[in-house]
Amino acid sequence: MHPQKSHAGAVLTIDLNALRANYRLLRQQAGSAACAAVLKANAYGLGADRVAPALAAEGCRHFFVAHLDEAIALRPHLPPPAEIFVLHGVPPGAEKECIVHQLIPVLNSLQQIQAWHALALEMGQALPAIVQVDTGMSRMGLSPVEVEAWLDNSAFMKSIQLLYVMSHLACAEHQDHPMNGTQLARFNALRQRLPNVAASLANSSGIFLGPDFQFDLVRPGAALYGIAPVAGAANPLQPVASLQGRILQTRLIERGDHVGYGSRYSASEQRRIATVSVGYADGWLRSMSHRGVAFIDGVAVPMVGTISMDSITLDVSAIAAERLYAGAAVDLICAQHPVDAVAELAGTIGYEVLTSLGNRYYREYVGG
Ligand SMILES: *Cc1c(COP(=O)(O)O)cnc(C)c1O
C-alpha cells in the first residue's frame, strides 16, 4: 500500500544523510577493515531500495541480506561491483539462481557447501562464497565437528573460492560479557588453520569491541539505522527514522470516564484525550499500552488506554486546545524520543521497533 501523504495516518521520514553519516562513522571506527552494510528485512524496515544506493554512493561495496529473494530484489538497485551476500545461504536446488544474479552465498552447513561444490564442478570453475562457522551462538554456521569435515576435504578448498570465513557474536552490545572473548578465541583458533583467508566477525556492536574484533570486514546493520551499539553508553550514531502521527479527533472526558478496550484507564479528573491514527497494525507495539509516550512541540504526552489496531489515545491535557486540530502532527519517534527509547517502553529492542514499522505510513526520504 502506498498512501497519499495527506491521507496517511502517519508520516515516516527516513534521513538518508544521517544514514550516510552513520556509515562514515562506522567505517572510520572499523579502521583498516572494509565496512559492509546489512540490509536484511528491507533494510531493517527502512526501504532497501533507497538505503542501498545511498550507501553505495558513500563507497560501500559489500551488502548482506538474509534471504535469496531479498538479494534478487536488491540486485537491480546495486549493480556490480557491489557484492551481495546471502546470509542464509541457498535453499537446496536454488544454487544456479546465485549465478544468474551474481549473488554470493554464506554457506552455513556441510550440505550447503556440498551443493555449492557440486555446482562448481558442473560449471568447471571455482565459485565464490563465505563460510560461516559457529563460535558459540548455536544458530547458524558449521559446528566444530562439521568444521573438521570441511577442512579435511581438500576438494572443497579447490572448488570454493573462499572470500571470507565468518562468524557472528551473541553478546557484543555488552562489552564486558565473557562470551565475546570466548567467541574471539574460537574464531582465532580457526583462523590459524586458514591463514590466508580473510575474516569477518563484527556486527554493529562488535565494531565497538575494538580492533581485535574487526578483522577484514565488519557487518553493521542496526547502527547504520541509528540504533545504539553499546549497552549503557551514549549513542554516537544519528537517528535515521522519525515518525509523525496525526490527530483524528479530540474529546474532553470527566472524572471516572474510561478510555479504550478493556476500560483499563479511568480519568481521575477532567482530561483531554486525542486519538491518533497509528496502531499495532502499523507496528506501534501493543505492549506499549499504558506506558508509551508521544511528543507535541517537545512536550511529552502520555499514551493512555490500550493500543488499538489502528489508533492510540493520548492524554493531551497539557497542550493548548488550538494545537489539537484534526490532522495536527504528533511525534512518535523523534530526536527526543528515539527508536531505542520507544523500544524500552515496549519491552523490546530497537531492531524490532524498526522492522515492525508498518506499510500504511507515508514514507518520505530526505537527503541521499
Ligand atoms: C543481522 C546480522 C548482522 C548485523 O547485525 P547488527 O547487530 O544489526 O549490526 C551481522 N551479521 C549477521 C550474521 C547478522 O545476522
Side-chain angles (χ1 to χ4, degrees):
M1 195 166 106
H2 295 285
Q4 283 189 36
K5 187 172 183 183
S6 61
H7 299 179
V11 175
L12 177 66
T13 305
I14 295 148
D15 183 346
L16 296 174
N17 287 338
L19 171 86
R20 289 177 65 158
N22 289 343
Y23 180 78
R24 290 195 299 271
L25 185 147
L26 293 167
R27 182 174 58 195
Q28 190 194 5
Q29 187 77 28
S32 60
C35 189
V38 179
L39 269 56
K40 61 197 184 190
N42 197 24
Y44 292 45
L46 299 185
D49 56 340
R50 302 297 298 268
V51 163
L55 293 173
E58 203 56 60
C60 184
R61 289 289 170 269
H62 305 78
F63 297 86
F64 286 84
V65 291
H67 291 235
L68 176 59
D69 282 351
E70 290 182 312
I72 293 172
L74 193 54
R75 191 38 116 183
H77 304 284
L78 279 180
E83 290 182 328
I84 303 178
F85 300 97
V86 186
L87 286 166
H88 288 188
V90 197
E95 289 76 20
K96 281 185 179 152
E97 298 274 317
C98 283
I99 308 295
V100 171
H101 300 279
Q102 295 177 273
L103 309 172
I104 301 175
V106 175
L107 305 174
N108 294 300
S109 65
L110 282 179
Q111 189 192 359
Q112 287 186 342
I113 289 174
Q114 183 66 48
W116 201 236
H117 165 76
L119 180 60
L121 294 188
E122 185 186 324
M123 293 180 61
Q125 64 181 87
L127 295 178
I130 293 179
V131 169
Q132 176 160 217
V133 297
D134 179 19
T135 52
M137 202 169 170
S138 307
R139 184 183 72 166
M140 285 201 290
L142 304 183
S143 68
V145 172
E146 291 173 313
V147 166
E148 295 309 319
W150 170 51
L151 293 178
D152 282 350
N153 191 334
S154 59
F156 290 153
M157 292 298 155
K158 291 195 196 95
S159 62
I160 295 173
Q161 181 199 354
L162 191 53
L163 299 183
Y164 297 93
V165 61
M166 82 170 233
S167 192
H168 190 51
L169 296 165
C171 309
E173 70 275 26
H174 300 290
Q175 296 202 319
D176 51 6
H177 200 292
M179 197 63 180
N180 297 323
T182 301
Q183 290 192 270
L184 181 64
R186 290 175 183 163
F187 193 60
N188 275 326
L190 174 78
R191 287 207 67 223
Q192 292 200 338
R193 303 172 66 186
L194 293 163
N196 301 316
V197 179
S200 176
L201 179 62
N203 64 340
S204 299
S205 301
I207 295 171
F208 292 85
L209 292 174
D212 288 352
F213 287 80
Q214 292 167 353
F215 295 97
D216 302 293
L217 180 72
V218 297
R219 309 185 307 271
L224 288 170
Y225 312 111
I227 291 174
V230 183
N235 186 356
L237 286 322
Q238 295 183 26
V240 173
S242 54
L243 182 66
Q244 269 201 333
R246 276 186 220 283
I247 292 179
L248 285 170
Q249 64 173 137
T250 61
R251 77 194 66 242
L252 275 175
I253 62 170
E254 303 299 331
R255 176 187 162 86
D257 285 346
H258 295 96
V259 178
Y261 285 120
S263 301
R264 287 188 51 200
Y265 172 85
S266 85
S268 56
E269 59 189 320
Q270 190 188 61
R271 311 302 302 167
R272 191 181 302 276
I273 302 294
T275 305
V276 172
S277 183
V278 167
Y280 63 76
D282 302 298
W284 204 248
L285 303 172
R286 195 168 170 280
S287 54
M288 258 184 296
S289 296
H290 315 291
R291 46 200 305 221
V293 64
F295 287 81
I296 297 178
D297 299 335
V299 178
V301 290
M303 256 167 240
V304 296
T306 306
I307 291 174
S308 297
M309 184 184 293
D310 314 300
S311 62
I312 52 177
T313 34
L314 305 172
D315 178 349
V316 292
S317 309
I319 308 296
E322 316 82 79
R323 175 65 178 77
L324 301 170
Y325 51 93
V330 173
D331 292 315
L332 297 171
I333 300 174
C334 57
Q336 235 175 334
H337 193 49
V339 172
D340 289 306
V342 173
E344 197 172 320
L345 292 177
T348 183
I349 54 176
Y351 296 65
E352 190 179 26
V353 171
L354 284 187
T355 56
S356 299
L357 290 170
N359 50 25
R360 293 191 294 187
Y361 298 145
Y362 178 82
R363 287 167 176 248
E364 188 155 74
Y365 289 87
V366 299

